[in-house]
Amino acid sequence: AQTVTQSQPEMSVQEAETVTLSCTYDTSESDYYLFWYKQPPSRQMILVIRQEAYKQQNATENRFSVNFQKAAKSFSLKISDSQLGDAAMYFCAYRTGSGNTGKLIFGQGTTLQVKP
Amino acid sequence: EPEVTQTPSHQVTQMGQEVILRCVPISNHLYFYWYRQILGQKVEFLVSFYNNEISEKSEIFDDQFSVERPDGSNFTLKIRSTKLEDSAMYFCASMGSQGYNEQFFGPGTRLTVL
């Protein structure tokens, strides 16, 4: 069974600085997708960024980028120029590329605090 | 922009009572999901629904749980006899197709079982 691990329960960053959130996963599959979701205090789940396993190029969305290391099964999220609105819980998630369920498997989450 | 909606936003019920949580997925989506998040914990998969049937369910999704898509637009989660440990945030999500596509989440229903 696939598992996702986020080893940092809490992180903090100074406004305008850069922070990296870690995520590792375990799978025997070769075809899968990885996601980072943001959950602000409202508890709405918001997609931040996604990565296809077969793509070597790391995904980037504005201030958000990932470091995808497939052999190491690592998928970290880098937030550049941190803003107060980035403060939230961040979840790493895995989805298989096969079958017809598409369920997401989430990590435990990392709470990010942004200091002004 | 289309969105997933959920009602109610907060449901309070007595232990042993039945509850129905409602979701309206994005209209042209084909895959539907329920997840739950106990306060302070990770989001856990409950069930996926495709082509009018359950495609996968987790160990949490026991006989007390059921899902239905009664009219082609709503997607409901029923808990037959609630327990204290069912208190959680329940998220509905929908997805257009497999692959690279995003699951869109609703705002959640907070269920409190007393």
Side-chain angles (χ1 to χ4, degrees), chain B residues 20-21 23 32-35 46-50 52-57 61-70 74-80 92:
Chain B
I20 298 176
L21 309 184
C23 168
F32 313 108
Y33 306 87
W34 285 101
Y35 295 87
L46 289 178
V47 66
S48 59
F49 194 85
Y50 169 70
N52 286 319
E53 61 183 18
I54 291 174
S55 50
E56 187 173 352
K57 57 184 181 180
F61 195 89
D62 61 21
D63 292 344
Q64 294 300 312
F65 291 87
S66 62
V67 289
E68 198 177 35
R69 189 158 159 80
N74 290 283
F75 180 51
T76 62
L77 174 69
K78 182 193 290 186
I79 308 175
R80 199 161 290 117
C92 173

PDB file of all heavy atoms in Angstrom, chain B residues 20-21 23 32-35 46-50 52-57 61-70 74-80 92:
ATOM      1  N   ILE B  20     -27.385  12.658   6.963  1.00  0.00           N
ATOM      2  CA  ILE B  20     -27.104  12.665   5.525  1.00  0.00           C
ATOM      3  C   ILE B  20     -26.367  13.950   5.195  1.00  0.00           C
ATOM      4  O   ILE B  20     -26.865  15.054   5.463  1.00  0.00           O
ATOM      5  CB  ILE B  20     -28.388  12.561   4.690  1.00  0.00           C
ATOM      6  CG1 ILE B  20     -29.092  11.239   4.971  1.00  0.00           C
ATOM      7  CG2 ILE B  20     -28.069  12.677   3.204  1.00  0.00           C
ATOM      8  CD1 ILE B  20     -30.428  11.086   4.274  1.00  0.00           C
ATOM      9  N   LEU B  21     -25.192  13.793   4.631  1.00  0.00           N
ATOM     10  CA  LEU B  21     -24.403  14.941   4.207  1.00  0.00           C
ATOM     11  C   LEU B  21     -24.539  15.060   2.692  1.00  0.00           C
ATOM     12  O   LEU B  21     -24.418  14.056   1.969  1.00  0.00           O
ATOM     13  CB  LEU B  21     -22.932  14.753   4.596  1.00  0.00           C
ATOM     14  CG  LEU B  21     -22.671  14.372   6.049  1.00  0.00           C
ATOM     15  CD1 LEU B  21     -21.163  14.314   6.311  1.00  0.00           C
ATOM     16  CD2 LEU B  21     -23.348  15.308   7.005  1.00  0.00           C
ATOM     17  N   CYS B  23     -23.810  16.892  -1.143  1.00  0.00           N
ATOM     18  CA  CYS B  23     -22.776  17.504  -1.977  1.00  0.00           C
ATOM     19  C   CYS B  23     -23.343  17.676  -3.388  1.00  0.00           C
ATOM     20  O   CYS B  23     -24.078  16.815  -3.867  1.00  0.00           O
ATOM     21  CB  CYS B  23     -21.550  16.587  -1.994  1.00  0.00           C
ATOM     22  SG  CYS B  23     -20.291  16.986  -3.232  1.00  0.00           S
ATOM     23  N   PHE B  32     -16.385  10.921  -8.042  1.00  0.00           N
ATOM     24  CA  PHE B  32     -16.842  11.587  -6.828  1.00  0.00           C
ATOM     25  C   PHE B  32     -16.250  10.890  -5.617  1.00  0.00           C
ATOM     26  O   PHE B  32     -16.065   9.671  -5.620  1.00  0.00           O
ATOM     27  CB  PHE B  32     -18.374  11.584  -6.763  1.00  0.00           C
ATOM     28  CG  PHE B  32     -19.012  12.015  -8.055  1.00  0.00           C
ATOM     29  CD1 PHE B  32     -19.652  11.092  -8.862  1.00  0.00           C
ATOM     30  CD2 PHE B  32     -18.948  13.333  -8.469  1.00  0.00           C
ATOM     31  CE1 PHE B  32     -20.223  11.483 -10.063  1.00  0.00           C
ATOM     32  CE2 PHE B  32     -19.510  13.731  -9.679  1.00  0.00           C
ATOM     33  CZ  PHE B  32     -20.150  12.799 -10.472  1.00  0.00           C
ATOM     34  N   TYR B  33     -15.965  11.700  -4.592  1.00  0.00           N
ATOM     35  CA  TYR B  33     -15.256  11.178  -3.433  1.00  0.00           C
ATOM     36  C   TYR B  33     -15.809  11.781  -2.151  1.00  0.00           C
ATOM     37  O   TYR B  33     -16.312  12.910  -2.138  1.00  0.00           O
ATOM     38  CB  TYR B  33     -13.761  11.564  -3.515  1.00  0.00           C
ATOM     39  CG  TYR B  33     -13.098  11.157  -4.795  1.00  0.00           C
ATOM     40  CD1 TYR B  33     -13.134  11.986  -5.909  1.00  0.00           C
ATOM     41  CD2 TYR B  33     -12.433   9.940  -4.896  1.00  0.00           C
ATOM     42  CE1 TYR B  33     -12.542  11.611  -7.097  1.00  0.00           C
ATOM     43  CE2 TYR B  33     -11.831   9.559  -6.088  1.00  0.00           C
ATOM     44  CZ  TYR B  33     -11.893  10.403  -7.184  1.00  0.00           C
ATOM     45  OH  TYR B  33     -11.302  10.025  -8.366  1.00  0.00           O
ATOM     46  N   TRP B  34     -15.666  11.014  -1.076  1.00  0.00           N
ATOM     47  CA  TRP B  34     -15.817  11.531   0.270  1.00  0.00           C
ATOM     48  C   TRP B  34     -14.534  11.257   1.032  1.00  0.00           C
ATOM     49  O   TRP B  34     -13.970  10.156   0.953  1.00  0.00           O
ATOM     50  CB  TRP B  34     -16.995  10.897   0.998  1.00  0.00           C
ATOM     51  CG  TRP B  34     -18.329  11.400   0.560  1.00  0.00           C
ATOM     52  CD1 TRP B  34     -19.202  10.800  -0.281  1.00  0.00           C
ATOM     53  CD2 TRP B  34     -18.953  12.632   0.963  1.00  0.00           C
ATOM     54  NE1 TRP B  34     -20.320  11.582  -0.450  1.00  0.00           N
ATOM     55  CE2 TRP B  34     -20.193  12.702   0.312  1.00  0.00           C
ATOM     56  CE3 TRP B  34     -18.580  13.687   1.807  1.00  0.00           C
ATOM     57  CZ2 TRP B  34     -21.078  13.776   0.470  1.00  0.00           C
ATOM     58  CZ3 TRP B  34     -19.454  14.745   1.974  1.00  0.00           C
ATOM     59  CH2 TRP B  34     -20.682  14.795   1.304  1.00  0.00           C
ATOM     60  N   TYR B  35     -14.087  12.288   1.736  1.00  0.00           N
ATOM     61  CA  TYR B  35     -12.941  12.201   2.635  1.00  0.00           C
ATOM     62  C   TYR B  35     -13.385  12.716   3.991  1.00  0.00           C
ATOM     63  O   TYR B  35     -14.350  13.476   4.103  1.00  0.00           O
ATOM     64  CB  TYR B  35     -11.783  13.079   2.145  1.00  0.00           C
ATOM     65  CG  TYR B  35     -11.172  12.678   0.830  1.00  0.00           C
ATOM     66  CD1 TYR B  35     -11.698  13.141  -0.375  1.00  0.00           C
ATOM     67  CD2 TYR B  35     -10.044  11.868   0.785  1.00  0.00           C
ATOM     68  CE1 TYR B  35     -11.131  12.785  -1.593  1.00  0.00           C
ATOM     69  CE2 TYR B  35      -9.462  11.512  -0.431  1.00  0.00           C
ATOM     70  CZ  TYR B  35     -10.014  11.974  -1.610  1.00  0.00           C
ATOM     71  OH  TYR B  35      -9.436  11.614  -2.814  1.00  0.00           O
ATOM     72  N   LEU B  46     -12.474   8.045   2.235  1.00  0.00           N
ATOM     73  CA  LEU B  46     -13.571   7.169   2.640  1.00  0.00           C
ATOM     74  C   LEU B  46     -14.034   6.294   1.484  1.00  0.00           C
ATOM     75  O   LEU B  46     -14.062   5.073   1.583  1.00  0.00           O
ATOM     76  CB  LEU B  46     -14.760   7.993   3.135  1.00  0.00           C
ATOM     77  CG  LEU B  46     -14.608   8.709   4.467  1.00  0.00           C
ATOM     78  CD1 LEU B  46     -15.877   9.511   4.766  1.00  0.00           C
ATOM     79  CD2 LEU B  46     -14.326   7.737   5.590  1.00  0.00           C
ATOM     80  N   VAL B  47     -14.414   6.943   0.369  1.00  0.00           N
ATOM     81  CA  VAL B  47     -15.049   6.203  -0.710  1.00  0.00           C
ATOM     82  C   VAL B  47     -14.920   6.975  -2.013  1.00  0.00           C
ATOM     83  O   VAL B  47     -14.875   8.203  -2.017  1.00  0.00           O
ATOM     84  CB  VAL B  47     -16.535   5.951  -0.360  1.00  0.00           C
ATOM     85  CG1 VAL B  47     -17.302   7.273  -0.310  1.00  0.00           C
ATOM     86  CG2 VAL B  47     -17.191   4.964  -1.299  1.00  0.00           C
ATOM     87  N   SER B  48     -14.836   6.222  -3.106  1.00  0.00           N
ATOM     88  CA  SER B  48     -14.889   6.823  -4.435  1.00  0.00           C
ATOM     89  C   SER B  48     -16.057   6.226  -5.196  1.00  0.00           C
ATOM     90  O   SER B  48     -16.453   5.069  -4.958  1.00  0.00           O
ATOM     91  CB  SER B  48     -13.581   6.599  -5.194  1.00  0.00           C
ATOM     92  OG  SER B  48     -13.304   5.218  -5.327  1.00  0.00           O
ATOM     93  N   PHE B  49     -16.597   7.003  -6.105  1.00  0.00           N
ATOM     94  CA  PHE B  49     -17.842   6.635  -6.797  1.00  0.00           C
ATOM     95  C   PHE B  49     -17.687   7.001  -8.255  1.00  0.00           C
ATOM     96  O   PHE B  49     -17.348   8.136  -8.592  1.00  0.00           O
ATOM     97  CB  PHE B  49     -18.988   7.427  -6.154  1.00  0.00           C
ATOM     98  CG  PHE B  49     -20.373   6.962  -6.490  1.00  0.00           C
ATOM     99  CD1 PHE B  49     -20.964   5.934  -5.784  1.00  0.00           C
ATOM    100  CD2 PHE B  49     -21.116   7.577  -7.489  1.00  0.00           C
ATOM    101  CE1 PHE B  49     -22.253   5.515  -6.052  1.00  0.00           C
ATOM    102  CE2 PHE B  49     -22.403   7.174  -7.777  1.00  0.00           C
ATOM    103  CZ  PHE B  49     -22.981   6.140  -7.049  1.00  0.00           C
ATOM    104  N   TYR B  50     -17.930   6.020  -9.120  1.00  0.00           N
ATOM    105  CA  TYR B  50     -17.778   6.254 -10.547  1.00  0.00           C
ATOM    106  C   TYR B  50     -18.773   5.383 -11.288  1.00  0.00           C
ATOM    107  O   TYR B  50     -18.981   4.215 -10.928  1.00  0.00           O
ATOM    108  CB  TYR B  50     -16.346   5.930 -10.993  1.00  0.00           C
ATOM    109  CG  TYR B  50     -16.143   5.895 -12.485  1.00  0.00           C
ATOM    110  CD1 TYR B  50     -16.185   7.075 -13.232  1.00  0.00           C
ATOM    111  CD2 TYR B  50     -15.923   4.693 -13.163  1.00  0.00           C
ATOM    112  CE1 TYR B  50     -16.014   7.050 -14.602  1.00  0.00           C
ATOM    113  CE2 TYR B  50     -15.750   4.663 -14.538  1.00  0.00           C
ATOM    114  CZ  TYR B  50     -15.788   5.849 -15.255  1.00  0.00           C
ATOM    115  OH  TYR B  50     -15.618   5.826 -16.610  1.00  0.00           O
ATOM    116  N   ASN B  52     -21.918   5.367 -11.336  1.00  0.00           N
ATOM    117  CA  ASN B  52     -23.057   5.001 -10.479  1.00  0.00           C
ATOM    118  C   ASN B  52     -22.803   3.845  -9.534  1.00  0.00           C
ATOM    119  O   ASN B  52     -23.762   3.162  -9.118  1.00  0.00           O
ATOM    120  CB  ASN B  52     -24.304   4.716 -11.322  1.00  0.00           C
ATOM    121  CG  ASN B  52     -24.915   5.991 -11.870  1.00  0.00           C
ATOM    122  OD1 ASN B  52     -24.994   6.996 -11.159  1.00  0.00           O
ATOM    123  ND2 ASN B  52     -25.313   5.969 -13.111  1.00  0.00           N
ATOM    124  N   GLU B  53     -21.554   3.608  -9.215  1.00  0.00           N
ATOM    125  CA  GLU B  53     -21.277   2.595  -8.214  1.00  0.00           C
ATOM    126  C   GLU B  53     -19.993   2.927  -7.471  1.00  0.00           C
ATOM    127  O   GLU B  53     -19.170   3.713  -7.962  1.00  0.00           O
ATOM    128  CB  GLU B  53     -21.191   1.204  -8.843  1.00  0.00           C
ATOM    129  CG  GLU B  53     -20.095   1.046  -9.876  1.00  0.00           C
ATOM    130  CD  GLU B  53     -20.098  -0.331 -10.512  1.00  0.00           C
ATOM    131  OE1 GLU B  53     -21.121  -1.042 -10.415  1.00  0.00           O
ATOM    132  OE2 GLU B  53     -19.082  -0.705 -11.095  1.00  0.00           O
ATOM    133  N   ILE B  54     -19.836   2.330  -6.310  1.00  0.00           N
ATOM    134  CA  ILE B  54     -18.624   2.517  -5.528  1.00  0.00           C
ATOM    135  C   ILE B  54     -17.472   1.833  -6.255  1.00  0.00           C
ATOM    136  O   ILE B  54     -17.556   0.660  -6.615  1.00  0.00           O
ATOM    137  CB  ILE B  54     -18.792   1.929  -4.116  1.00  0.00           C
ATOM    138  CG1 ILE B  54     -19.796   2.769  -3.315  1.00  0.00           C
ATOM    139  CG2 ILE B  54     -17.452   1.859  -3.390  1.00  0.00           C
ATOM    140  CD1 ILE B  54     -20.145   2.181  -1.950  1.00  0.00           C
ATOM    141  N   SER B  55     -16.398   2.573  -6.477  1.00  0.00           N
ATOM    142  CA  SER B  55     -15.229   1.993  -7.131  1.00  0.00           C
ATOM    143  C   SER B  55     -14.168   1.571  -6.121  1.00  0.00           C
ATOM    144  O   SER B  55     -13.384   0.663  -6.385  1.00  0.00           O
ATOM    145  CB  SER B  55     -14.628   2.966  -8.151  1.00  0.00           C
ATOM    146  OG  SER B  55     -14.442   4.244  -7.584  1.00  0.00           O
ATOM    147  N   GLU B  56     -14.148   2.223  -4.987  1.00  0.00           N
ATOM    148  CA  GLU B  56     -13.255   1.804  -3.911  1.00  0.00           C
ATOM    149  C   GLU B  56     -13.751   2.392  -2.594  1.00  0.00           C
ATOM    150  O   GLU B  56     -14.319   3.478  -2.573  1.00  0.00           O
ATOM    151  CB  GLU B  56     -11.815   2.269  -4.170  1.00  0.00           C
ATOM    152  CG  GLU B  56     -10.808   1.727  -3.162  1.00  0.00           C
ATOM    153  CD  GLU B  56      -9.354   2.047  -3.513  1.00  0.00           C
ATOM    154  OE1 GLU B  56      -9.106   2.558  -4.624  1.00  0.00           O
ATOM    155  OE2 GLU B  56      -8.478   1.766  -2.679  1.00  0.00           O
ATOM    156  N   LYS B  57     -13.533   1.661  -1.523  1.00  0.00           N
ATOM    157  CA  LYS B  57     -13.863   2.184  -0.198  1.00  0.00           C
ATOM    158  C   LYS B  57     -12.755   1.798   0.777  1.00  0.00           C
ATOM    159  O   LYS B  57     -12.082   0.789   0.600  1.00  0.00           O
ATOM    160  CB  LYS B  57     -15.216   1.670   0.285  1.00  0.00           C
ATOM    161  CG  LYS B  57     -15.331   0.165   0.343  1.00  0.00           C
ATOM    162  CD  LYS B  57     -16.743  -0.234   0.738  1.00  0.00           C
ATOM    163  CE  LYS B  57     -16.855  -1.755   0.813  1.00  0.00           C
ATOM    164  NZ  LYS B  57     -18.228  -2.190   1.194  1.00  0.00           N
ATOM    165  N   PHE B  61     -14.986   2.983   5.894  1.00  0.00           N
ATOM    166  CA  PHE B  61     -16.310   2.973   5.257  1.00  0.00           C
ATOM    167  C   PHE B  61     -16.962   1.620   5.491  1.00  0.00           C
ATOM    168  O   PHE B  61     -16.976   0.747   4.611  1.00  0.00           O
ATOM    169  CB  PHE B  61     -16.160   3.271   3.771  1.00  0.00           C
ATOM    170  CG  PHE B  61     -17.447   3.638   3.080  1.00  0.00           C
ATOM    171  CD1 PHE B  61     -17.875   4.954   3.030  1.00  0.00           C
ATOM    172  CD2 PHE B  61     -18.232   2.670   2.465  1.00  0.00           C
ATOM    173  CE1 PHE B  61     -19.055   5.297   2.391  1.00  0.00           C
ATOM    174  CE2 PHE B  61     -19.408   2.995   1.823  1.00  0.00           C
ATOM    175  CZ  PHE B  61     -19.821   4.310   1.776  1.00  0.00           C
ATOM    176  N   ASP B  62     -17.507   1.438   6.698  1.00  0.00           N
ATOM    177  CA  ASP B  62     -18.123   0.159   7.031  1.00  0.00           C
ATOM    178  C   ASP B  62     -19.627   0.189   6.722  1.00  0.00           C
ATOM    179  O   ASP B  62     -20.111   1.099   6.032  1.00  0.00           O
ATOM    180  CB  ASP B  62     -17.846  -0.190   8.496  1.00  0.00           C
ATOM    181  CG  ASP B  62     -18.418   0.846   9.465  1.00  0.00           C
ATOM    182  OD1 ASP B  62     -19.348   1.589   9.070  1.00  0.00           O
ATOM    183  OD2 ASP B  62     -17.948   0.909  10.603  1.00  0.00           O
ATOM    184  N   ASP B  63     -20.348  -0.775   7.236  1.00  0.00           N
ATOM    185  CA  ASP B  63     -21.771  -0.911   6.903  1.00  0.00           C
ATOM    186  C   ASP B  63     -22.624   0.255   7.384  1.00  0.00           C
ATOM    187  O   ASP B  63     -23.786   0.385   6.987  1.00  0.00           O
ATOM    188  CB  ASP B  63     -22.316  -2.216   7.495  1.00  0.00           C
ATOM    189  CG  ASP B  63     -21.730  -3.431   6.812  1.00  0.00           C
ATOM    190  OD1 ASP B  63     -21.165  -3.263   5.714  1.00  0.00           O
ATOM    191  OD2 ASP B  63     -21.829  -4.537   7.375  1.00  0.00           O
ATOM    192  N   GLN B  64     -22.070   1.082   8.266  1.00  0.00           N
ATOM    193  CA  GLN B  64     -22.818   2.247   8.747  1.00  0.00           C
ATOM    194  C   GLN B  64     -22.846   3.381   7.728  1.00  0.00           C
ATOM    195  O   GLN B  64     -23.619   4.321   7.874  1.00  0.00           O
ATOM    196  CB  GLN B  64     -22.197   2.762  10.055  1.00  0.00           C
ATOM    197  CG  GLN B  64     -22.325   1.796  11.221  1.00  0.00           C
ATOM    198  CD  GLN B  64     -23.776   1.498  11.530  1.00  0.00           C
ATOM    199  OE1 GLN B  64     -24.613   2.394  11.629  1.00  0.00           O
ATOM    200  NE2 GLN B  64     -24.102   0.229  11.677  1.00  0.00           N
ATOM    201  N   PHE B  65     -21.984   3.283   6.732  1.00  0.00           N
ATOM    202  CA  PHE B  65     -21.870   4.331   5.727  1.00  0.00           C
ATOM    203  C   PHE B  65     -22.490   3.871   4.409  1.00  0.00           C
ATOM    204  O   PHE B  65     -22.422   2.689   4.053  1.00  0.00           O
ATOM    205  CB  PHE B  65     -20.399   4.677   5.464  1.00  0.00           C
ATOM    206  CG  PHE B  65     -19.702   5.373   6.600  1.00  0.00           C
ATOM    207  CD1 PHE B  65     -19.106   4.634   7.620  1.00  0.00           C
ATOM    208  CD2 PHE B  65     -19.616   6.751   6.647  1.00  0.00           C
ATOM    209  CE1 PHE B  65     -18.455   5.271   8.663  1.00  0.00           C
ATOM    210  CE2 PHE B  65     -18.960   7.390   7.684  1.00  0.00           C
ATOM    211  CZ  PHE B  65     -18.375   6.645   8.702  1.00  0.00           C
ATOM    212  N   SER B  66     -23.071   4.811   3.705  1.00  0.00           N
ATOM    213  CA  SER B  66     -23.525   4.534   2.344  1.00  0.00           C
ATOM    214  C   SER B  66     -23.465   5.818   1.532  1.00  0.00           C
ATOM    215  O   SER B  66     -23.475   6.923   2.097  1.00  0.00           O
ATOM    216  CB  SER B  66     -24.941   3.947   2.327  1.00  0.00           C
ATOM    217  OG  SER B  66     -25.867   4.865   2.858  1.00  0.00           O
ATOM    218  N   VAL B  67     -23.350   5.675   0.233  1.00  0.00           N
ATOM    219  CA  VAL B  67     -23.342   6.831  -0.655  1.00  0.00           C
ATOM    220  C   VAL B  67     -24.369   6.607  -1.746  1.00  0.00           C
ATOM    221  O   VAL B  67     -24.715   5.483  -2.095  1.00  0.00           O
ATOM    222  CB  VAL B  67     -21.961   7.093  -1.304  1.00  0.00           C
ATOM    223  CG1 VAL B  67     -20.963   7.600  -0.276  1.00  0.00           C
ATOM    224  CG2 VAL B  67     -21.445   5.857  -2.020  1.00  0.00           C
ATOM    225  N   GLU B  68     -24.814   7.739  -2.276  1.00  0.00           N
ATOM    226  CA  GLU B  68     -25.845   7.677  -3.301  1.00  0.00           C
ATOM    227  C   GLU B  68     -25.741   8.900  -4.183  1.00  0.00           C
ATOM    228  O   GLU B  68     -25.340   9.983  -3.739  1.00  0.00           O
ATOM    229  CB  GLU B  68     -27.227   7.661  -2.616  1.00  0.00           C
ATOM    230  CG  GLU B  68     -28.353   7.184  -3.484  1.00  0.00           C
ATOM    231  CD  GLU B  68     -29.656   7.122  -2.702  1.00  0.00           C
ATOM    232  OE1 GLU B  68     -29.867   7.976  -1.824  1.00  0.00           O
ATOM    233  OE2 GLU B  68     -30.467   6.236  -2.982  1.00  0.00           O
ATOM    234  N   ARG B  69     -26.082   8.691  -5.452  1.00  0.00           N
ATOM    235  CA  ARG B  69     -26.202   9.823  -6.367  1.00  0.00           C
ATOM    236  C   ARG B  69     -27.630   9.763  -6.896  1.00  0.00           C
ATOM    237  O   ARG B  69     -27.890   9.212  -7.952  1.00  0.00           O
ATOM    238  CB  ARG B  69     -25.172   9.704  -7.464  1.00  0.00           C
ATOM    239  CG  ARG B  69     -25.053  10.910  -8.361  1.00  0.00           C
ATOM    240  CD  ARG B  69     -23.701  10.939  -9.035  1.00  0.00           C
ATOM    241  NE  ARG B  69     -23.700  11.769 -10.235  1.00  0.00           N
ATOM    242  CZ  ARG B  69     -23.607  13.082 -10.225  1.00  0.00           C
ATOM    243  NH1 ARG B  69     -23.538  13.734  -9.083  1.00  0.00           N
ATOM    244  NH2 ARG B  69     -23.591  13.758 -11.359  1.00  0.00           N
ATOM    245  N   PRO B  70     -28.567  10.296  -6.137  1.00  0.00           N
ATOM    246  CA  PRO B  70     -29.981  10.015  -6.391  1.00  0.00           C
ATOM    247  C   PRO B  70     -30.559  10.626  -7.661  1.00  0.00           C
ATOM    248  O   PRO B  70     -31.486  10.071  -8.253  1.00  0.00           O
ATOM    249  CB  PRO B  70     -30.666  10.586  -5.140  1.00  0.00           C
ATOM    250  CG  PRO B  70     -29.733  11.639  -4.641  1.00  0.00           C
ATOM    251  CD  PRO B  70     -28.361  11.159  -4.974  1.00  0.00           C
ATOM    252  N   ASN B  74     -26.870  15.554  -7.147  1.00  0.00           N
ATOM    253  CA  ASN B  74     -26.435  15.444  -5.760  1.00  0.00           C
ATOM    254  C   ASN B  74     -25.645  14.169  -5.525  1.00  0.00           C
ATOM    255  O   ASN B  74     -25.815  13.161  -6.223  1.00  0.00           O
ATOM    256  CB  ASN B  74     -27.656  15.446  -4.832  1.00  0.00           C
ATOM    257  CG  ASN B  74     -28.328  16.796  -4.799  1.00  0.00           C
ATOM    258  OD1 ASN B  74     -27.858  17.712  -4.151  1.00  0.00           O
ATOM    259  ND2 ASN B  74     -29.430  16.913  -5.530  1.00  0.00           N
ATOM    260  N   PHE B  75     -24.772  14.232  -4.537  1.00  0.00           N
ATOM    261  CA  PHE B  75     -23.986  13.066  -4.123  1.00  0.00           C
ATOM    262  C   PHE B  75     -24.011  13.083  -2.601  1.00  0.00           C
ATOM    263  O   PHE B  75     -23.562  14.043  -1.985  1.00  0.00           O
ATOM    264  CB  PHE B  75     -22.564  13.193  -4.668  1.00  0.00           C
ATOM    265  CG  PHE B  75     -21.643  12.062  -4.327  1.00  0.00           C
ATOM    266  CD1 PHE B  75     -22.010  10.743  -4.554  1.00  0.00           C
ATOM    267  CD2 PHE B  75     -20.383  12.311  -3.797  1.00  0.00           C
ATOM    268  CE1 PHE B  75     -21.157   9.703  -4.255  1.00  0.00           C
ATOM    269  CE2 PHE B  75     -19.518  11.274  -3.489  1.00  0.00           C
ATOM    270  CZ  PHE B  75     -19.906   9.970  -3.715  1.00  0.00           C
ATOM    271  N   THR B  76     -24.607  12.042  -2.011  1.00  0.00           N
ATOM    272  CA  THR B  76     -24.817  12.074  -0.567  1.00  0.00           C
ATOM    273  C   THR B  76     -24.023  11.007   0.152  1.00  0.00           C
ATOM    274  O   THR B  76     -23.746   9.934  -0.399  1.00  0.00           O
ATOM    275  CB  THR B  76     -26.311  11.889  -0.235  1.00  0.00           C
ATOM    276  OG1 THR B  76     -26.733  10.610  -0.710  1.00  0.00           O
ATOM    277  CG2 THR B  76     -27.154  12.974  -0.877  1.00  0.00           C
ATOM    278  N   LEU B  77     -23.691  11.316   1.393  1.00  0.00           N
ATOM    279  CA  LEU B  77     -23.061  10.367   2.311  1.00  0.00           C
ATOM    280  C   LEU B  77     -24.008  10.204   3.491  1.00  0.00           C
ATOM    281  O   LEU B  77     -24.360  11.195   4.138  1.00  0.00           O
ATOM    282  CB  LEU B  77     -21.705  10.884   2.793  1.00  0.00           C
ATOM    283  CG  LEU B  77     -21.009  10.054   3.861  1.00  0.00           C
ATOM    284  CD1 LEU B  77     -20.534   8.716   3.300  1.00  0.00           C
ATOM    285  CD2 LEU B  77     -19.806  10.811   4.458  1.00  0.00           C
ATOM    286  N   LYS B  78     -24.419   8.976   3.744  1.00  0.00           N
ATOM    287  CA  LYS B  78     -25.297   8.695   4.873  1.00  0.00           C
ATOM    288  C   LYS B  78     -24.526   7.907   5.912  1.00  0.00           C
ATOM    289  O   LYS B  78     -23.837   6.932   5.596  1.00  0.00           O
ATOM    290  CB  LYS B  78     -26.524   7.902   4.429  1.00  0.00           C
ATOM    291  CG  LYS B  78     -27.503   7.611   5.560  1.00  0.00           C
ATOM    292  CD  LYS B  78     -28.536   6.566   5.184  1.00  0.00           C
ATOM    293  CE  LYS B  78     -29.519   7.038   4.174  1.00  0.00           C
ATOM    294  NZ  LYS B  78     -30.612   6.048   3.930  1.00  0.00           N
ATOM    295  N   ILE B  79     -24.664   8.350   7.155  1.00  0.00           N
ATOM    296  CA  ILE B  79     -24.145   7.587   8.280  1.00  0.00           C
ATOM    297  C   ILE B  79     -25.365   7.105   9.052  1.00  0.00           C
ATOM    298  O   ILE B  79     -26.155   7.921   9.558  1.00  0.00           O
ATOM    299  CB  ILE B  79     -23.213   8.421   9.176  1.00  0.00           C
ATOM    300  CG1 ILE B  79     -22.127   9.090   8.345  1.00  0.00           C
ATOM    301  CG2 ILE B  79     -22.574   7.506  10.238  1.00  0.00           C
ATOM    302  CD1 ILE B  79     -21.235  10.030   9.145  1.00  0.00           C
ATOM    303  N   ARG B  80     -25.534   5.801   9.123  1.00  0.00           N
ATOM    304  CA  ARG B  80     -26.784   5.217   9.605  1.00  0.00           C
ATOM    305  C   ARG B  80     -26.986   5.430  11.102  1.00  0.00           C
ATOM    306  O   ARG B  80     -28.054   5.813  11.539  1.00  0.00           O
ATOM    307  CB  ARG B  80     -26.790   3.731   9.275  1.00  0.00           C
ATOM    308  CG  ARG B  80     -28.147   3.071   9.286  1.00  0.00           C
ATOM    309  CD  ARG B  80     -28.141   1.766   8.525  1.00  0.00           C
ATOM    310  NE  ARG B  80     -28.000   1.976   7.087  1.00  0.00           N
ATOM    311  CZ  ARG B  80     -26.972   1.536   6.374  1.00  0.00           C
ATOM    312  NH1 ARG B  80     -25.992   0.867   6.922  1.00  0.00           N
ATOM    313  NH2 ARG B  80     -26.909   1.750   5.079  1.00  0.00           N
ATOM    314  N   CYS B  92     -16.372  16.529   0.389  1.00  0.00           N
ATOM    315  CA  CYS B  92     -16.746  15.941  -0.885  1.00  0.00           C
ATOM    316  C   CYS B  92     -15.784  16.476  -1.934  1.00  0.00           C
ATOM    317  O   CYS B  92     -15.330  17.627  -1.845  1.00  0.00           O
ATOM    318  CB  CYS B  92     -18.183  16.335  -1.216  1.00  0.00           C
ATOM    319  SG  CYS B  92     -18.755  15.866  -2.856  1.00  0.00           S
TER     320      CYS B  92
END
